[in-house]
Amino acid sequence: QVQLVESGGGLVQAGGSLRLSCAASGRTFSRYHMAWFRQTPGKEREFVAAITWSGGSIYYLDSVKGRFTISRDNTKNTLYLQMNSLKPEDTAVYYCAAGGSYKGPYDYWGQGTQVTVSS
């Protein structure tokens, strides 16, 4: 089992920045590929970014490339998502996830953190 807890969400104006964190506990964090997803009411959960266990490969949703940066610190069992140049369409609940393959499926999920970008 891996327990995941997100933090860092909040309200920010368009063009602003936020840094999300995902603290992991339980089984060895460094064994898992990690990802961020997001979801808005009435829509399916959407992949945002993924990073392999070593950090050697990273993948992004096209609409966040150049604005978001995913990273991880295996010594701190923590995943990050630095979000810059935020847009109102980035408003969503953001979830971190852990799995055996970066392509999914992801086996463990956090409870989510709300990000709201005002125009």
Side-chain angles (χ1 to χ4, degrees):
Q1 284 280 351
V2 175
Q3 292 78 42
L4 303 172
V5 179
E6 302 96 335
S7 62
L11 174 64
V12 64
Q13 289 189 330
S17 298
L18 283 174
R19 188 194 197 200
L20 305 184
S21 299
C22 173
S25 60
R27 299 184 69 177
T28 307
F29 173 76
S30 62
R31 293 181 179 178
Y32 291 93
H33 303 299
M34 300 294 297
W36 289 98
F37 289 78
R38 65 188 182 188
Q39 189 170 25
T40 56
K43 294 186 178 180
E44 291 194 0
R45 190 158 44 194
E46 175 181 55
F47 166 84
V48 174
I51 185 168
T52 54
W53 67 272
S54 66
S57 295
I58 289 174
Y59 307 89
Y60 293 104
L61 176 69
D62 283 347
S63 62
V64 308
K65 285 180 181 177
R67 300 188 299 121
F68 290 12
T69 303
I70 188 171
S71 62
R72 65 190 296 163
D73 186 338
N74 287 344
T75 66
K76 297 181 178 179
N77 288 356
T78 304
L79 175 74
Y80 303 99
L81 185 68
Q82 178 66 45
M83 304 186 295
N84 299 329
S85 302
L86 282 161
K87 304 176 180 180
E89 52 262 44
D90 295 318
T91 295
V93 177
Y94 283 72
Y95 299 89
C96 66
S101 170
Y102 74 89
K103 294 181 179 180
Y106 286 85
D107 304 304
Y108 303 102
W109 295 83
Q111 84 290 346
T113 185
Q114 177 71 47
V115 171
T116 303
V117 184
S118 63
S119 57

